[in-house]
């Protein structure tokens, strides 16, 4: 992803976003790619190369707290509705009236889920976010409808369904010393996050205290086989250059229930998605379990729904990059644009 294609914009709340932009050719749709944790816009390099060659418009921001984008200290600045409005501001800066949103990991939980709804902006005016998008694609993490259920209660519910708490590591991420510990033993942390030994997430990521113990012990697992070593090193450098403290604010919003107020302001009838949706279910993801992602997405999506299973872990956009690109392209071609 060539640096010459990166731009910056100041949003209406005076935050600077760094983003990749390539204009569409011959009226092709614009694709808005949204990364998760711990990442930058570089996550989407395989998709950017593929879809840019097809003539699609491309927008890929460094999410708030990451890369060249601003990194507010106050976790309240990372509320769902605020970040979603930032993304709309990026579309406005490029005069993009409509786009197709494609998200992975946290971008699904926060950004895409909130972009689906009608929310009031800072002036109390209604923003019709759904009208700005022709479709939504979810990778690994399915559609997560905003909920007024508190985090602790939600984890009890999930644990009863699954038989274990797949999000126990979130408790570590909101601890005061978590950023320093992760940065100190970052090779240990990142080897576990990106490993293709998928089952280790079940034992050493999901349970409460397991990820912290792994990083404290400076343990390492075998390097991933689906991303070149030089790319892994580039990713690690970009993340460490800016630090991990700001990205962890995304977790504080959820764990400390700051998103509950946003969720309560969304009309219940708007929770159902009427737009076309694509879900890439990662069958070897032991945190974002495919069965749960498919069930929740199917329950709340009433528009055209396409679900494809991938024999991959959480980083399906890398591990199955060629098939992900092909399936996304087929889905996009089938949209009535």
């Amino acid at each position: 992803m060539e640096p010459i294609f990166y731009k910056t914009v100041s949003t209406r709340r005076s935050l600077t976003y760094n983003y990749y932009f390539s204009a569409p050719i011959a009226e092709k749709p614009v694709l808005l790619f949204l990364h998760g944790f711990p990442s930058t816009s570089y996550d989407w390099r395989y998709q950017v190369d593929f879809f840019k060659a097809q003539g699609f418009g491309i927008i890929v921001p460094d999410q708030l707290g990451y890369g060249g984008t601003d990194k507010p200290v106050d976790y309240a600045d990372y509320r769902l509705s605020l970040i979603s409005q930032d993304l709309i501001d990026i579309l406005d800066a490029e005069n993009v009236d409509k786009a197709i949103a494609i998200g992975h990991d946290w971008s699904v939980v926060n950004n895409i889920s909130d972009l689906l709804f009608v929310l009031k902006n800072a002036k109390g005016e209604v923003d019709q976010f759904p009208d700005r998008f022709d479709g939504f694609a979810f990778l690994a993490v399915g559609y997560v409808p905003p909920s007024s259920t508190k985090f602790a209660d939600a984890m009890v519910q999930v644990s009863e369904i699954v038989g274990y708490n797949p999000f126990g590591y979130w408790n570590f991420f909101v601890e005061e010393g978590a950023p320093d510990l992760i940065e100190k033993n970052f090779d240990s942390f990142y080897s576990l996050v990106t490993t293709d030994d998928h089952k280790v997430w079940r034992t050493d990521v999901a349970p409460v205290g397991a990820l912290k113990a792994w990083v404290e012990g400076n343990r390492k697992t075998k390097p991933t086989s689906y991303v070149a070593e030089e790319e892994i090193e580039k990713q690690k450098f970009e993340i460490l250059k800016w630090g991990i403290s700001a990205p962890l604010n995304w977790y504080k919003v959820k764990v400390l229930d700051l998103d509950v107020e946003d969720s309560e302001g969304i009309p219940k009838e708007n929770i159902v998605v009427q737009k076309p949706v694509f879900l890439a279910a990662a069958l070897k993801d032991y945190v974002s379990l495919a069965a749960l992602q498919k069930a929740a997405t199917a329950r709340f999506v009433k528009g055209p729904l396409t679900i494809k299973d991938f024999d991959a872990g959480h980083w399906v956009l890398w591990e199955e990059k060629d098939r992900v690109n092909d399936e996304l392209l087929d889905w996009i071609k089938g949209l009535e644009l």
Side-chain angles (χ1 to χ4, degrees):
M1 296 173 66
E2 305 92 328
I4 193 173
F5 286 96
Y6 275 87
K7 305 172 72 174
T8 59
V9 65
S10 179
T11 67
R12 68 183 66 185
R13 56 183 180 136
S14 300
L15 292 174
T16 298
Y17 269 72
N18 184 57
Y19 64 99
Y20 179 99
F21 176 73
S22 178
I25 297 175
E27 298 184 353
K28 284 286 187 72
V30 173
L31 310 181
L32 173 66
F33 289 99
L34 302 169
H35 71 78
F37 173 92
S39 307
T40 66
S41 55
Y42 183 66
D43 266 20
W44 293 106
R45 57 197 178 278
Y46 303 128
Q47 286 68 44
V48 167
D49 289 345
F50 178 82
F51 285 100
K52 183 178 178 182
Q54 302 282 338
F56 289 93
I58 306 289
I59 297 178
V60 195
D62 286 332
Q63 296 270 45
L64 189 66
Y66 294 91
T69 293
D70 279 352
K71 300 161 186 65
V73 175
D74 187 350
Y75 70 89
D77 289 326
Y78 294 77
R79 288 174 59 175
L80 282 69
S81 57
L82 297 178
I83 294 179
S84 296
Q85 182 62 68
D86 293 342
L87 299 176
I88 296 297
D89 290 345
I90 295 174
L91 296 184
D92 289 345
E94 295 298 341
N95 297 311
V96 174
D97 182 54
K98 286 184 177 288
I100 298 170
I102 303 171
H104 173 251
D105 189 65
W106 257 112
S107 65
V108 171
V109 179
N110 273 21
N111 297 153
I112 290 187
S113 293
D114 237 37
L115 287 171
L116 285 162
F117 298 107
V118 178
L119 297 174
K120 288 185 177 181
N121 61 29
K123 297 180 180 179
E125 301 165 338
V126 174
D127 286 319
Q128 300 283 351
F129 289 174
D131 290 344
R132 302 295 298 272
F133 296 90
D134 290 313
F136 301 90
F138 302 82
L139 305 187
V141 181
Y143 171 54
V144 181
S147 171
S148 58
T149 303
K150 292 186 176 181
F151 175 78
D153 295 333
M155 292 306 97
V156 171
Q157 295 173 7
V158 172
S159 299
E160 291 175 348
I161 296 172
V162 176
Y164 66 94
N165 181 1
F167 304 107
Y169 64 98
W170 288 27
N171 294 1
F172 166 50
F173 281 173
V174 301
E175 290 182 10
E176 185 175 347
D180 290 339
L181 177 58
I182 291 172
E183 291 173 13
K184 175 184 176 183
N185 294 336
F186 194 73
D187 285 346
S188 167
F189 172 76
Y190 204 69
S191 76
L192 182 58
V193 168
T194 59
T195 182
D196 51 7
D197 182 8
H198 302 300
K199 290 184 178 180
V200 76
W201 276 34
R202 169 68 176 85
T203 57
D204 293 290
V205 173
V208 174
L211 179 56
K212 181 179 181 179
W214 177 284
V215 178
E216 282 182 327
N218 203 22
R219 296 173 58 190
K220 298 180 179 67
T221 186
K222 63 179 182 180
T224 180
S225 60
Y226 49 80
V227 176
E229 182 179 356
E230 58 268 24
E231 292 183 325
I232 286 290
E233 291 304 315
K234 176 177 173 61
Q235 288 170 309
K236 287 161 54 177
F237 174 80
E238 288 298 321
I239 296 168
L240 273 179
K241 180 170 68 173
W242 306 102
I244 206 75
S245 181
L248 290 179
N249 281 323
W250 290 64
Y251 290 89
K252 292 180 180 179
V253 170
K254 300 293 288 186
V255 175
L256 302 179
D257 298 318
L258 196 60
D259 63 322
V260 170
E261 181 180 347
D262 275 355
S263 298
E264 290 177 342
I266 298 172
K268 291 183 178 180
E269 61 270 20
N270 289 342
I271 290 178
V272 175
V273 182
Q274 304 293 344
K275 296 294 180 77
V277 167
F278 174 93
L279 170 62
L283 300 180
K284 294 181 178 178
D285 189 334
Y286 285 85
V287 170
S288 302
L289 296 159
L292 291 183
Q293 307 310 314
K294 291 193 286 187
T297 303
R299 178 183 177 188
F300 292 100
V301 172
K302 301 307 177 184
L305 174 60
T306 300
I307 298 178
K308 299 292 182 178
D309 288 339
F310 290 80
D311 190 33
H314 186 70
W315 300 98
V316 60
L317 70 169
W318 304 338
E319 191 173 355
E320 292 281 351
K321 55 183 177 294
D322 292 333
R323 186 177 165 225
V324 164
N325 291 345
D326 289 340
E327 295 284 10
L328 278 173
L329 179 60
D330 287 345
W331 173 70
I332 293 169
K333 286 181 175 179
L335 300 179
E336 297 180 359
L337 303 179

